[in-house]
Each structure stands twice: as C-alpha cells, then as structure tokens.
C-alpha cells in the first residue's frame, strides 16, 4: 500500500509540472495519468469527483486531485498531494511579486508588458465567452447573468458577490426543481457533522471579526483582513480560476486599490504561462499587496502564504468533508440545479471584469487589436494560452 501511495505522489508531481490549459485541460490529463495509465480510480469515479468539484465553491482542479488522493490513501495523502500541486507555481508567483518592482523599472520589461497586458484581457474575454456559451442556455440564466453584470457595475462592492451568488442559486433551484426529495434531504443532513460546519464558517467569522476589531494602524491588521478576503472569496468562487480573476480584480483593484490594473494583469499573464492551478495567481496578489503597503520582502512572502492558504482552504475543507457522503448528495436535484444559476451569475461577474479591464485602454488601438487577436487565436485555433503569452513576450522583445 505504501509503495502505491509513493507512486501516486510521484505521478502527482509529474502532473503538476505538466498541467497546462486550465480545468478543461487538467481533467483530460487526470483521465490519462490517473485512470487509464495507473488505474488509481475508475473513469466513473473521476467524472463524479469532477462533478462534485463543479458544484462546490473553490478550485475545481485542485478539489478533484485531492479527492483522487483521498480515495488512494486517505487524509494525509490528500494533504501532501495538495502541497505538491500548489507549491511550485505559488513559489514562482511569490518570486514574481517580490521582483516585480525591480524589473518593472526597466524599460524593456515595460515594452513586454505593453503587449502582454492586452493579451491577458483577451484571455479574460475568451473565458467569458466560453462560460456564456456553456451556461446561458435559458432565459432565466441569461437574465441572471445580465442582472449580476449590471449590479456589480453599479455597486462595485465585494459584499455584492455573496448576495448575488446566493440569489442566483436560489432562483435556479426554485424554478428548475420539482417539489420532492424531502425524505432524501433528511437522510443526507442527518449524516452531517455540525462541528465541521461550525469550523468551516467559524474560520471566516473569526478573521472577519479580528480584521474589524484590530486597529487599522496595527501591522497585523492588513494580513488578517487579507486572509479574510481570500478565505471569503474561496467560499464564493464557483467555476474555478476563470471566475477567480473577475472577483479578485473588482475587489482588490477597483474597490480596495491594493494593487494597480497593470500589476494585476502582469501577474495574471505570468500565471497563464505556468503549469498548475490558476489559484496560484493569488500568491502574486498577496505578495504585491503587502509589498505595496510597505511590509518588505518578508511581508511579501507572508502575503503570498496568506493568499494561497486563504483561497484554497475552503475548497479543501469542503471536498474532504463531502466526499464520504457524495453518493447521497448527488441525488439531490435542488443542489444540482442551483449550479446553473450560480454559473450564470459568474458569467455576469466575468463580463464586469472584462469591461473594467478594457477601460484603461482608452484610445490605444494597438491594445484593442492585441486583445481581439488573442481572443480569435484561442477561439479558432488549437494554440493554447501559454503559447499565446510566449508570443506576447517575443513581440515585446522584438518591437
């Protein structure tokens, strides 16, 4: 058994270093490496874990991988696998945050970013279009997406996100589910350990309270508030990394001004060129945030650690909490049907982020051209996102 677990960890590390292409690409690699090649789990089990990850908030690829590890070797193998998966790309993004200011002061880097940043917006546009095409199938979902777009553009408040996500899930569940299942729900929730639910919610409330109570001039105030920000967003993000970007941009750039649009897009573009989870982008955000607030290199490292733990902890807790009784959970149609409304609201968030990201281009027609070209390459060719970013770097070095 130990030999099998060590082999799984070796395979997980190899997967980490080769997992490009976001959640859609990740699931294809998991199918090849963990099912067809090693037979750690069956294809049906993989698809069910992936479906569960789609229903839960948090990083879907990360949750699916953790679920596989739990089935192979239990809790500790799941935790070690998570660290193998997140640490390489998160460490690179942390180093990027530390060195950003130094490299950004050099003219050639500015030239490269002149090409990279519009291309990053093109990637957001492509993700928005892909999500809209996939999830806006009914009048209800379309109206929810439009409503969330308008609401977030008007409010631009981080507290709008949980309210809109909750409303979207409630509306789609109510409109798309026939009245039934009472007995099944009673059976399911009789198995729920209330202590675990209390821990999950208690972490959020504790850090939110500490952030509010500690004096804003205290050096501990911002790190505590930052953890609450990332943990809260980890609870709210349905659909993986594509939804992470608009939520983070609206809250951290437009509302709280923790970092600039240029810094945000530069980090996002770098993350797109790396293998591993999209959520490692938060390592850059946390590092830049504390760096901009004068916390120094040690503070930037702390910011990266806070961000990565905060954004991933809710999803990790949920997947390990729910996998044991997933067989009952997946039978409840109301839970499945709430996902369509949640995803529709997420499309609205993504469209909001795209509009906000385009605004700084003003009359820069080259930026619009690069953004459009990136969208067309991703939509109509087989060129992957990392290659698009490399093209942008080359263009910046040449021109």
């Amino acid at each position: 058994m130990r030999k099998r677990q060590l082999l799984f960890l070796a395979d997980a590390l190899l997967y980490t270093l080769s997992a490009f292409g976001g959640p859609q690409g990740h699931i294809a690699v998991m199918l090849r490496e963990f099912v067809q090649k090693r037979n750690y789990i069956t294809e049906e089990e993989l698809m069910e874990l992936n479906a569960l990850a789609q229903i839960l908030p948090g990083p879907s690829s990360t949750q699916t991988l953790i679920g596989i590890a739990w089935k192979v070797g239990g809790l500790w193998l799941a935790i070690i696998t998570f660290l193998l998966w997140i640490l390489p790309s998160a460490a690179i993004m942390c180093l990027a945050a530390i060195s950003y200011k130094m490299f950004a002061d050099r003219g050639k880097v500015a030239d490269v970013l002149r090409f990279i940043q519009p291309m990053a917006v093109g990637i957001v546009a492509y993700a928005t279009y892909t999500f809209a095409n996939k999830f806006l199938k009914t009048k209800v979902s379309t109206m929810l997406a439009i409503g969330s777009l308008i609401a977030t553009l008007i409010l631009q408040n981080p507290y709008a996100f949980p309210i809109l996500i909750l409303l979207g899930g409630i509306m789609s569940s109510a409109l798309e589910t026939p009245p039934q299942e009472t007995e099944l729900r009673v059976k399911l929730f009789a198995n729920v350990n209330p202590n675990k639910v209390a821990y999950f919610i208690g972490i959020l409330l504790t850090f939110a309270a500490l952030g509010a109570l500690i004096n804003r001039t205290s050096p501990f105030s911002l790190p505590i508030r930052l953890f609450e920000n990332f943990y809260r967003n980890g609870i709210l993000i349905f659909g993986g990394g594509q939804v992470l970007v608009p939520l983070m941009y609206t809250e951290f750039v437009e509302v709280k001004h923790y970092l600039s649009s240029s810094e945000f897009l530069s980090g996002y573009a770098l993350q797109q060129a790396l293998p591993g989870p999209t959520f490692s982008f938060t390592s850059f955000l946390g590092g830049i945030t504390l760096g901009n607030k004068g916390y120094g290199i040690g503070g930037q490292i702390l910011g990266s650690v806070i961000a990565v733990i905060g954004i991933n902890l809710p999803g990790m807790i949920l997947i390990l909490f729910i996998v044991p009784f997933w067989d009952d959970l997946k039978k409840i149609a109301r839970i499945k049907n709430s996902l369509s409304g949640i995803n529709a609201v997420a499309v609205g968030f993504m469209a909001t982020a795209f509009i906000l990201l385009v605004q700084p281009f003003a009359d820069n027609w080259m930026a619009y051209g690069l953004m459009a070209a990136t969208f067309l390459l991703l939509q109509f060719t087989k060129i992957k996102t990392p290659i698009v970013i490399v093209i942008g770097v080359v263009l910046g070095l040449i021109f």
Side-chain angles (χ1 to χ4, degrees):
M1 181 63 71
R2 183 175 296 275
K3 182 178 180 181
R4 179 177 170 80
Q5 293 175 2
L6 291 174
L7 181 61
F8 176 83
L9 290 176
D11 287 336
L13 179 59
L14 182 62
Y15 165 71
T16 297
L17 301 176
S18 59
F20 290 95
Q24 294 80 11
H26 294 168
I27 192 64
V29 179
M30 288 183 193
L31 177 62
R32 185 184 70 237
E33 296 297 323
F34 298 129
V35 176
Q36 297 171 349
K37 183 178 177 181
R38 298 292 192 189
N39 198 31
Y40 290 120
I41 59 173
T42 66
E43 183 173 344
E44 181 181 3
E45 288 176 316
L46 175 63
M47 293 301 105
E48 287 191 351
L49 282 173
N50 187 57
L52 173 59
Q54 298 300 322
I55 290 175
L56 297 177
S60 56
S61 296
T62 302
Q63 290 170 312
T64 303
L65 182 62
I66 289 172
I68 297 171
W70 185 87
K71 285 180 174 290
V72 173
L75 177 62
W76 286 109
L77 188 68
I79 293 173
I80 295 171
T81 301
F82 166 75
L83 294 175
L84 285 177
W85 169 240
I86 196 71
L87 283 178
S89 56
I92 292 173
M93 296 304 293
C94 178
L95 290 174
I98 292 171
S99 59
Y100 180 85
K101 294 293 184 183
M102 177 179 66
F103 285 107
D105 291 337
R106 300 180 182 179
K108 201 62 181 176
V109 172
D111 290 338
V112 172
L113 295 180
R114 188 164 52 94
F115 287 85
I116 288 293
Q117 290 172 359
M119 296 175 83
V121 179
I123 294 169
V124 173
Y126 173 71
T128 304
Y129 173 80
T130 303
F131 258 58
N133 195 46
K134 181 177 180 181
F135 294 119
L136 304 188
K137 301 291 189 181
T138 66
K139 288 183 179 180
V140 173
S141 61
T142 303
M143 292 305 296
L144 285 172
I146 295 172
S148 68
L149 166 63
I150 295 171
T152 48
L153 280 175
I154 294 173
L155 298 175
Q156 292 193 26
N157 186 304
Y159 295 103
F161 296 124
I163 295 172
L164 291 170
I165 286 174
L166 180 63
L167 288 175
I170 291 173
M171 289 181 66
S172 62
S173 178
L175 293 172
E176 297 175 9
T177 307
Q180 56 187 6
E181 305 172 326
T182 303
E183 181 179 342
L184 178 61
R185 287 200 298 272
V186 170
K187 176 185 174 183
L188 169 64
F189 291 107
N191 296 326
V192 174
N193 185 334
N195 291 333
K196 292 182 179 179
V197 177
Y199 297 152
F200 180 76
I201 299 174
I203 292 172
L204 173 64
L205 296 179
T206 298
F207 279 88
L210 286 174
L213 293 174
I214 292 180
N215 192 308
R216 292 298 174 101
T217 61
S218 167
F220 301 106
S221 175
L222 182 56
I224 289 172
R225 286 184 285 121
L226 200 61
F227 179 86
E228 185 274 329
N229 294 162
F230 282 108
Y231 188 87
R232 169 168 42 82
N233 280 287
I235 294 174
L236 299 179
I237 293 169
F238 292 82
Q242 296 95 330
V243 183
L244 169 73
V245 174
L247 283 174
M248 295 287 99
Y249 184 85
T250 304
E251 179 168 356
F252 286 4
V253 178
E254 294 290 330
V255 177
K256 296 182 176 176
H257 308 292
Y258 284 160
L259 68 165
S260 68
S261 176
S262 176
E263 290 168 333
F264 185 95
L265 286 174
S266 299
Y268 177 58
L270 173 60
Q271 190 283 320
Q272 290 294 297
L274 297 175
T278 305
F279 274 46
S280 64
F281 173 49
T282 57
S283 177
F284 182 87
L285 296 182
I288 287 288
T289 296
L290 291 191
N292 286 345
K293 299 300 182 180
Y295 279 73
I297 293 177
Q300 287 187 284
I301 296 172
L302 175 63
S304 292
V305 173
I306 286 172
V308 170
I309 293 176
I311 200 72
N312 283 285
L313 189 58
M316 188 172 181
I317 292 173
L318 282 174
I319 193 72
L320 292 174
F321 171 45
I322 290 177
V323 162
F325 54 89
W326 171 232
D327 285 342
D328 287 331
L329 184 67
K330 66 186 178 183
K331 298 174 185 175
I332 299 181
R334 285 195 182 276
I335 293 177
K336 288 184 177 181
N337 292 338
S338 68
L339 188 61
S340 63
I342 290 169
N343 284 329
V345 170
V347 172
F349 294 162
M350 296 170 76
T352 301
F354 173 71
I355 292 170
L356 296 175
L357 286 166
V358 168
Q359 287 180 351
F361 292 169
D363 58 353
N364 185 349
W365 293 104
M366 185 193 76
Y368 291 116
L370 286 168
M371 180 185 70
T374 300
F375 177 87
L376 294 172
L377 279 174
L378 293 173
Q379 176 65 22
F380 296 107
T381 73
K382 294 184 178 181
I383 297 176
K384 302 298 183 183
T385 302
I387 303 301
V388 172
I389 297 300
V390 171
I391 291 172
V393 172
V394 172
L395 288 174
L397 293 173
I398 294 175
F399 299 104

